[in-house]
PDB file of all heavy atoms in Angstrom:
ATOM      1  N   LEU A 937       2.852  15.592 -32.129  1.00 90.00           N
ATOM      2  CA  LEU A 937       3.272  16.853 -31.520  1.00 90.00           C
ATOM      3  C   LEU A 937       2.234  17.912 -31.843  1.00 90.00           C
ATOM      4  O   LEU A 937       1.976  18.195 -33.016  1.00 90.00           O
ATOM      5  CB  LEU A 937       4.645  17.291 -32.031  1.00 90.00           C
ATOM      6  CG  LEU A 937       5.101  18.693 -31.602  1.00 90.00           C
ATOM      7  CD1 LEU A 937       5.184  18.801 -30.089  1.00 90.00           C
ATOM      8  CD2 LEU A 937       6.440  19.045 -32.236  1.00 90.00           C
ATOM      9  N   TRP A1057      12.858  21.148 -22.993  1.00 88.00           N
ATOM     10  CA  TRP A1057      12.382  20.566 -24.239  1.00 88.00           C
ATOM     11  C   TRP A1057      13.294  19.430 -24.703  1.00 88.00           C
ATOM     12  O   TRP A1057      12.819  18.398 -25.187  1.00 88.00           O
ATOM     13  CB  TRP A1057      12.305  21.651 -25.305  1.00 88.00           C
ATOM     14  CG  TRP A1057      11.781  21.150 -26.613  1.00 88.00           C
ATOM     15  CD1 TRP A1057      12.486  20.932 -27.764  1.00 88.00           C
ATOM     16  CD2 TRP A1057      10.422  20.821 -26.919  1.00 88.00           C
ATOM     17  NE1 TRP A1057      11.669  20.481 -28.756  1.00 88.00           N
ATOM     18  CE2 TRP A1057      10.388  20.394 -28.271  1.00 88.00           C
ATOM     19  CE3 TRP A1057       9.236  20.840 -26.191  1.00 88.00           C
ATOM     20  CZ2 TRP A1057       9.222  19.988 -28.895  1.00 88.00           C
ATOM     21  CZ3 TRP A1057       8.072  20.428 -26.813  1.00 88.00           C
ATOM     22  CH2 TRP A1057       8.072  20.009 -28.139  1.00 88.00           C
ATOM     23  N   LYS A1058      14.584  19.604 -24.534  1.00 87.00           N
ATOM     24  CA  LYS A1058      15.519  18.538 -24.917  1.00 87.00           C
ATOM     25  C   LYS A1058      15.290  17.289 -24.080  1.00 87.00           C
ATOM     26  O   LYS A1058      15.501  16.169 -24.561  1.00 87.00           O
ATOM     27  CB  LYS A1058      16.957  19.030 -24.748  1.00 87.00           C
ATOM     28  CG  LYS A1058      17.363  20.112 -25.741  1.00 87.00           C
ATOM     29  CD  LYS A1058      18.773  20.597 -25.487  1.00 87.00           C
ATOM     30  CE  LYS A1058      19.169  21.708 -26.465  1.00 87.00           C
ATOM     31  NZ  LYS A1058      20.534  22.240 -26.165  1.00 87.00           N
ATOM     32  N   LEU A1061      11.772  15.769 -25.522  1.00 84.00           N
ATOM     33  CA  LEU A1061      11.684  15.370 -26.918  1.00 84.00           C
ATOM     34  C   LEU A1061      11.845  13.871 -27.168  1.00 84.00           C
ATOM     35  O   LEU A1061      11.182  13.330 -28.060  1.00 84.00           O
ATOM     36  CB  LEU A1061      12.708  16.148 -27.739  1.00 84.00           C
ATOM     37  CG  LEU A1061      12.494  16.172 -29.256  1.00 84.00           C
ATOM     38  CD1 LEU A1061      11.104  16.668 -29.592  1.00 84.00           C
ATOM     39  CD2 LEU A1061      13.555  17.047 -29.917  1.00 84.00           C
ATOM     40  N   PRO A1062      12.692  13.137 -26.436  1.00 83.00           N
ATOM     41  CA  PRO A1062      12.792  11.687 -26.695  1.00 83.00           C
ATOM     42  C   PRO A1062      11.466  10.946 -26.591  1.00 83.00           C
ATOM     43  O   PRO A1062      11.313   9.875 -27.179  1.00 83.00           O
ATOM     44  CB  PRO A1062      13.777  11.211 -25.616  1.00 83.00           C
ATOM     45  CG  PRO A1062      14.652  12.393 -25.382  1.00 83.00           C
ATOM     46  CD  PRO A1062      13.721  13.577 -25.486  1.00 83.00           C
ATOM     47  N   ILE A1064       8.581  11.753 -27.934  1.00 72.00           N
ATOM     48  CA  ILE A1064       7.949  11.709 -29.250  1.00 72.00           C
ATOM     49  C   ILE A1064       8.735  10.817 -30.201  1.00 72.00           C
ATOM     50  O   ILE A1064       8.176  10.148 -31.073  1.00 72.00           O
ATOM     51  CB  ILE A1064       7.786  13.133 -29.818  1.00 72.00           C
ATOM     52  CG1 ILE A1064       6.788  13.143 -30.968  1.00 72.00           C
ATOM     53  CG2 ILE A1064       9.093  13.697 -30.272  1.00 72.00           C
ATOM     54  CD1 ILE A1064       6.469  14.533 -31.467  1.00 72.00           C
ATOM     55  N   GLN A1065      10.053  10.774 -30.029  1.00 74.00           N
ATOM     56  CA  GLN A1065      10.873   9.933 -30.890  1.00 74.00           C
ATOM     57  C   GLN A1065      10.705   8.460 -30.550  1.00 74.00           C
ATOM     58  O   GLN A1065      10.964   7.590 -31.370  1.00 74.00           O
ATOM     59  CB  GLN A1065      12.339  10.365 -30.769  1.00 74.00           C
ATOM     60  CG  GLN A1065      12.572  11.784 -31.278  1.00 74.00           C
ATOM     61  CD  GLN A1065      13.925  12.348 -30.892  1.00 74.00           C
ATOM     62  OE1 GLN A1065      14.542  11.893 -29.930  1.00 74.00           O
ATOM     63  NE2 GLN A1065      14.389  13.334 -31.639  1.00 74.00           N
ATOM     64  N   ASP A1088       8.128  27.459 -35.820  1.00 78.00           N
ATOM     65  CA  ASP A1088       9.107  26.527 -36.384  1.00 78.00           C
ATOM     66  C   ASP A1088      10.411  27.236 -36.718  1.00 78.00           C
ATOM     67  O   ASP A1088      10.993  27.058 -37.794  1.00 78.00           O
ATOM     68  CB  ASP A1088       8.537  25.849 -37.633  1.00 78.00           C
ATOM     69  CG  ASP A1088       9.310  24.580 -37.995  1.00 78.00           C
ATOM     70  OD1 ASP A1088      10.010  24.048 -37.118  1.00 78.00           O
ATOM     71  OD2 ASP A1088       9.217  24.132 -39.154  1.00 78.00           O
ATOM     72  N   GLN A1089      10.878  28.044 -35.758  1.00 75.00           N
ATOM     73  CA  GLN A1089      12.120  28.799 -35.958  1.00 75.00           C
ATOM     74  C   GLN A1089      13.229  28.350 -35.017  1.00 75.00           C
ATOM     75  O   GLN A1089      14.198  29.069 -34.804  1.00 75.00           O
ATOM     76  CB  GLN A1089      11.840  30.293 -35.744  1.00 75.00           C
ATOM     77  CG  GLN A1089      10.882  30.900 -36.760  1.00 75.00           C
ATOM     78  CD  GLN A1089      10.549  32.346 -36.470  1.00 75.00           C
ATOM     79  OE1 GLN A1089      10.818  32.858 -35.378  1.00 75.00           O
ATOM     80  NE2 GLN A1089       9.958  33.044 -37.454  1.00 75.00           N
ATOM     81  N   LEU A1090      13.105  27.155 -34.459  1.00 73.00           N
ATOM     82  CA  LEU A1090      14.144  26.645 -33.575  1.00 73.00           C
ATOM     83  C   LEU A1090      15.406  26.340 -34.373  1.00 73.00           C
ATOM     84  O   LEU A1090      15.347  25.936 -35.536  1.00 73.00           O
ATOM     85  CB  LEU A1090      13.671  25.382 -32.858  1.00 73.00           C
ATOM     86  CG  LEU A1090      12.446  25.528 -31.925  1.00 73.00           C
ATOM     87  CD1 LEU A1090      12.130  24.177 -31.293  1.00 73.00           C
ATOM     88  CD2 LEU A1090      12.708  26.570 -30.848  1.00 73.00           C
ATOM     89  N   ALA A1091      16.567  26.514 -33.713  1.00 62.00           N
ATOM     90  CA  ALA A1091      17.836  26.217 -34.375  1.00 62.00           C
ATOM     91  C   ALA A1091      17.918  24.745 -34.745  1.00 62.00           C
ATOM     92  O   ALA A1091      18.477  24.372 -35.779  1.00 62.00           O
ATOM     93  CB  ALA A1091      18.995  26.610 -33.464  1.00 62.00           C
ATOM     94  N   GLN A1092      17.322  23.873 -33.882  1.00 60.00           N
ATOM     95  CA  GLN A1092      17.304  22.438 -34.162  1.00 60.00           C
ATOM     96  C   GLN A1092      15.852  22.005 -34.290  1.00 60.00           C
ATOM     97  O   GLN A1092      15.056  22.190 -33.376  1.00 60.00           O
ATOM     98  CB  GLN A1092      17.980  21.651 -33.039  1.00 60.00           C
ATOM     99  CG  GLN A1092      18.054  20.154 -33.306  1.00 60.00           C
ATOM    100  CD  GLN A1092      18.820  19.418 -32.219  1.00 60.00           C
ATOM    101  OE1 GLN A1092      19.103  19.989 -31.166  1.00 60.00           O
ATOM    102  NE2 GLN A1092      19.166  18.184 -32.485  1.00 60.00           N
ATOM    103  N   PRO A1093      15.465  21.421 -35.419  1.00 55.00           N
ATOM    104  CA  PRO A1093      14.072  21.002 -35.605  1.00 55.00           C
ATOM    105  C   PRO A1093      13.630  20.013 -34.537  1.00 55.00           C
ATOM    106  O   PRO A1093      14.449  19.320 -33.936  1.00 55.00           O
ATOM    107  CB  PRO A1093      14.070  20.356 -36.984  1.00 55.00           C
ATOM    108  CG  PRO A1093      15.286  20.906 -37.680  1.00 55.00           C
ATOM    109  CD  PRO A1093      16.294  21.143 -36.587  1.00 55.00           C
ATOM    110  N   VAL A1094      12.330  19.935 -34.297  1.00 58.00           N
ATOM    111  CA  VAL A1094      11.819  19.079 -33.247  1.00 58.00           C
ATOM    112  C   VAL A1094      12.051  17.600 -33.523  1.00 58.00           C
ATOM    113  O   VAL A1094      12.021  16.773 -32.632  1.00 58.00           O
ATOM    114  CB  VAL A1094      10.309  19.310 -33.015  1.00 58.00           C
ATOM    115  CG1 VAL A1094      10.067  20.706 -32.511  1.00 58.00           C
ATOM    116  CG2 VAL A1094       9.513  19.045 -34.286  1.00 58.00           C
ATOM    117  N   THR A1095      12.311  17.238 -34.778  1.00 50.00           N
ATOM    118  CA  THR A1095      12.590  15.843 -35.091  1.00 50.00           C
ATOM    119  C   THR A1095      13.963  15.425 -34.631  1.00 50.00           C
ATOM    120  O   THR A1095      14.275  14.238 -34.572  1.00 50.00           O
ATOM    121  CB  THR A1095      12.509  15.623 -36.620  1.00 50.00           C
ATOM    122  OG1 THR A1095      13.444  16.495 -37.277  1.00 50.00           O
ATOM    123  CG2 THR A1095      11.109  15.891 -37.125  1.00 50.00           C
ATOM    124  N   GLY A1096      14.817  16.404 -34.305  1.00 41.00           N
ATOM    125  CA  GLY A1096      16.159  16.092 -33.878  1.00 41.00           C
ATOM    126  C   GLY A1096      17.150  16.074 -35.032  1.00 41.00           C
ATOM    127  O   GLY A1096      18.345  15.930 -34.829  1.00 41.00           O
ATOM    128  N   SER A1097      16.671  16.196 -36.262  1.00 35.00           N
ATOM    129  CA  SER A1097      17.576  16.203 -37.415  1.00 35.00           C
ATOM    130  C   SER A1097      18.129  17.605 -37.616  1.00 35.00           C
ATOM    131  O   SER A1097      17.596  18.589 -37.151  1.00 35.00           O
ATOM    132  CB  SER A1097      16.819  15.768 -38.669  1.00 35.00           C
ATOM    133  OG  SER A1097      15.740  16.639 -38.924  1.00 35.00           O
ATOM    134  N   SER A1098      19.223  17.698 -38.324  1.00 31.00           N
ATOM    135  CA  SER A1098      19.872  18.996 -38.521  1.00 31.00           C
ATOM    136  C   SER A1098      19.194  19.769 -39.639  1.00 31.00           C
ATOM    137  O   SER A1098      18.453  19.210 -40.443  1.00 31.00           O
ATOM    138  CB  SER A1098      21.341  18.788 -38.848  1.00 31.00           C
ATOM    139  OG  SER A1098      21.468  17.983 -40.014  1.00 31.00           O
TER     140      SER A1098
END
Side-chain angles (χ1 to χ4, degrees):
L937 172 60
W1057 182 253
K1058 291 178 181 177
L1061 197 54
I1064 196 174
Q1065 296 167 338
D1088 198 19
Q1089 295 176 346
L1090 298 180
Q1092 183 176 12
V1094 295
T1095 58
S1097 60
S1098 58

